[in-house]
Amino acid sequence: MLALLHTSPVHVPVFDALRDEAHPGLELWHFVDEALLERARAAGPDAVAAEVRAAVDRAVAGGARAVLCTCSTIGAVAEAYGAETGVPVLRVDRPMAAAAVAAGERVVVLAALESTLAPTVELIEEEARRAARPVAVRTVLVDGAWERFEAGDTDGYVRLVAAAADAVADVDADAIVLAQASMAAAVDLVTTRVPLLSSPRPGLTAGAQASHGA
């Protein structure tokens, strides 16, 4: 069983659909706590470390073989606790960051939340050091996108993200990273030739492998 720690309920059907498509038979256990993101935005990710640890502990006590945090803002907090749990604790965006580094040294990070930018940049730079590859990361905050998301206008949210991706000139980027899992649907709307990377699919694959001991 793979436990998933979410900060929005919109992720539940997304990951269920990806499981049904690519990992049939994998049992998912969803934990949703929207307040974690609210507090992390207000006071920083470390402010919710105790709550994140408690959620991971509940998942492990319930039989989870691995835990996948789908929130980029608190992903590092969850991952850091993994060494103490006895099971793998992964952040959903790490495989995406590794793919961005492999794509080239010019990476543009798109985010709808400012609190997501720094953790994503740090992760990409960490993966670049691990791969011994140079990387230059530029960030773009998609104005008005998060307000659409909070209002329940997911179509409008994704369209704004896609427009921001299309505005990135081909000469400026080797890869565009969608910093939040909720942005993934923008991949189907863009016209840019720059590779657009999202986290849910590769993140779930990593989680599935970890839950099976791979």
Side-chain angles (χ1 to χ4, degrees):
M1 177 172 62
L2 174 65
L4 291 89
L5 176 58
H6 308 293
T7 53
S8 173
V10 303
H11 298 310
V12 175
V14 171
F15 282 90
D16 280 346
L18 287 173
R19 182 271 317 275
D20 293 344
E21 176 187 334
H23 308 281
L26 175 65
E27 182 180 359
L28 299 183
W29 188 9
H30 298 283
F31 291 77
V32 180
D33 189 343
E34 295 177 271
L36 287 177
L37 180 57
E38 295 171 6
R39 290 196 295 274
R41 290 179 64 192
D46 289 340
V48 298
E51 290 91 338
V52 170
R53 289 195 296 267
V56 172
D57 287 342
R58 287 197 302 273
V60 174
R65 300 286 301 276
V67 179
L68 180 67
C69 179
T70 66
C71 177
S72 299
T73 298
I74 65 171
V77 173
E79 188 181 58
Y81 186 53
E84 303 177 38
T85 67
V87 305
V89 180
L90 298 81
R91 52 188 297 176
V92 73
D93 48 356
R94 184 171 289 281
M96 175 182 65
V101 169
E105 61 184 68
R106 301 168 305 165
V107 177
V108 175
V109 173
L110 299 186
L113 273 178
E114 188 171 3
S115 63
T116 306
L117 290 173
T120 304
V121 172
E122 290 169 5
L123 177 61
I124 292 169
E125 292 176 341
E126 179 184 332
E127 286 297 317
R129 290 191 296 272
R130 178 178 297 180
R133 296 174 64 97
V135 67
V137 185
R138 182 163 64 89
T139 62
V140 176
L141 187 64
V142 185
D143 291 335
W146 192 248
E147 289 77 8
R148 297 282 185 94
F149 183 83
E150 289 186 311
D153 181 10
T154 54
D155 288 341
Y157 169 64
V158 171
R159 284 197 298 271
L160 282 178
V161 172
D166 283 335
V168 176
D170 294 353
V171 295
D172 292 337
D174 298 307
I176 301 172
V177 165
L178 300 178
Q180 293 156 249
S182 57
M183 298 171 134
V187 172
D188 298 325
L189 301 179
V190 297
T191 59
T192 179
R193 293 178 296 174
V194 180
L196 193 63
L197 307 178
S198 62
S199 61
R201 185 180 299 275
L204 183 61
T205 296
Q209 292 172 344
S211 69
H212 290 116

